[in-house]
Amino acid sequence: MASLLMNTLTITFYFILSSSLLHISNGAYSEDVSKASSMIRVEKTTHLHFFFHDLHSGKSPTAIKIIGIPNSGGFGDVYVMDNALTERQEATSDVVGQAQGMYTFAAQNQPVFLMVLTFEFTQGEFSGSSLSVLGRNPIMDDVREMPIIGGSGQFRYANGYALAHTVWADPTTSDAIVEYNVYVKHYNNGEVAASSTPSPAARARVLFLLSLFLFSSLFLMY
């Protein structure tokens, strides 16, 4: 009788073990957690205000041309930037981050930039977080709107828009200071709180551990 029980337990154990390992291996590369972990998203809207310093002149320019097309009137020119973001318009104001990326003249008959950049924040509440911008910037307009397409850190899952307004420009050097008002929707602390429902892989691990404990206990008994 004991031998029959041990054989039954052994077969059951290996069946549970193989099933558990199958679930774990299936979740090793990718796992759909949309149903197993229903997200409780606490969304908030944040307004950011800072000044963008685009400097082409001096000993340490922060924007440089890397591609120039002869006789194109600027069309196709590409600039790379690492521009300071400050609290106020003055260059001596506290730096709160950097605008890193590139912009190119994307229109033939008017001064329009295609902006591809990241606002990387280095001070304050959002230090270590960033926002990504991709959009059309008609620089002669008083106020230009560009979309926020994502972010990192506390701005994970972010979306919104940035309003740019040039407050100072030097036509000789092309240096400029641009005021930005950014409105961004994101989640508190960049996190989404999950419900207590475990994922399939987690359930498989728990099942494996329980079956191992049960088999070990019965083995000691018999």
Side-chain angles (χ1 to χ4, degrees):
M1 181 68 180
S3 177
L4 177 60
L5 179 59
M6 283 298 299
N7 289 336
T8 303
L9 289 174
T10 301
I11 294 173
T12 302
F13 170 73
Y14 281 114
F15 175 76
I16 295 175
L17 176 62
S18 62
S19 300
S20 301
L21 292 177
L22 179 61
H23 281 294
I24 294 174
S25 63
N26 284 343
Y29 176 68
S30 65
E31 181 180 354
D32 183 2
V33 297
S34 56
K35 294 182 179 179
S37 180
S38 59
M39 299 299 181
I40 306 171
R41 301 189 173 191
V42 183
E43 190 175 64
K44 63 186 291 187
T45 299
T46 297
H47 171 220
L48 301 169
H49 177 248
F50 49 82
F51 292 85
F52 167 106
H53 296 257
D54 193 47
L55 304 179
H56 297 256
S57 63
K59 294 182 179 180
S60 301
T62 60
I64 59 173
K65 184 191 292 187
I66 60 171
I67 297 177
I69 310 299
N71 303 318
S72 68
F75 177 61
D77 289 357
V78 179
Y79 292 80
V80 170
M81 65 180 145
D82 184 9
N83 293 338
L85 305 176
T86 61
E87 283 189 351
R88 297 181 299 277
Q89 180 175 337
E90 298 78 17
T92 55
S93 176
D94 291 341
V95 175
V96 296
Q98 298 294 130
Q100 299 170 332
M102 63 181 63
Y103 55 86
T104 180
F105 281 87
Q108 293 183 343
N109 301 317
Q110 54 182 323
V112 174
F113 290 161
L114 171 63
M115 307 288 290
V116 183
L117 65 94
T118 296
F119 293 134
E120 179 69 26
F121 300 101
T122 56
Q123 299 294 329
E125 177 184 356
F126 300 109
S127 178
S129 300
S130 67
L131 290 171
S132 297
V133 178
L134 174 64
R136 181 178 182 271
N137 183 5
I139 59 175
M140 299 305 293
D141 290 0
D142 183 41
V143 178
R144 294 87 69 188
E145 179 178 337
M146 291 167 281
I148 302 296
I149 61 171
S152 65
Q154 295 195 57
F155 292 124
R156 193 179 304 153
Y157 300 107
N159 63 85
Y161 61 95
L163 300 177
H165 166 64
T166 302
V167 295
W168 176 84
D170 186 334
T172 302
T173 63
S174 297
D175 292 352
I177 299 175
V178 181
E179 180 183 20
Y180 271 89
N181 281 282
V182 178
Y183 297 86
V184 56
K185 289 186 176 182
H186 59 107
Y187 302 114
N188 283 335
N189 299 319
E191 299 294 338
V192 286
S195 71
S196 58
T197 305
S199 68
R203 289 198 300 269
R205 295 186 186 97
V206 172
L207 181 61
F208 167 70
L209 293 175
L210 288 176
S211 61
L212 182 61
F213 174 76
L214 177 62
F215 178 77
S216 300
S217 301
L218 292 176
F219 179 78
L220 293 175
M221 292 174 58
Y222 289 93

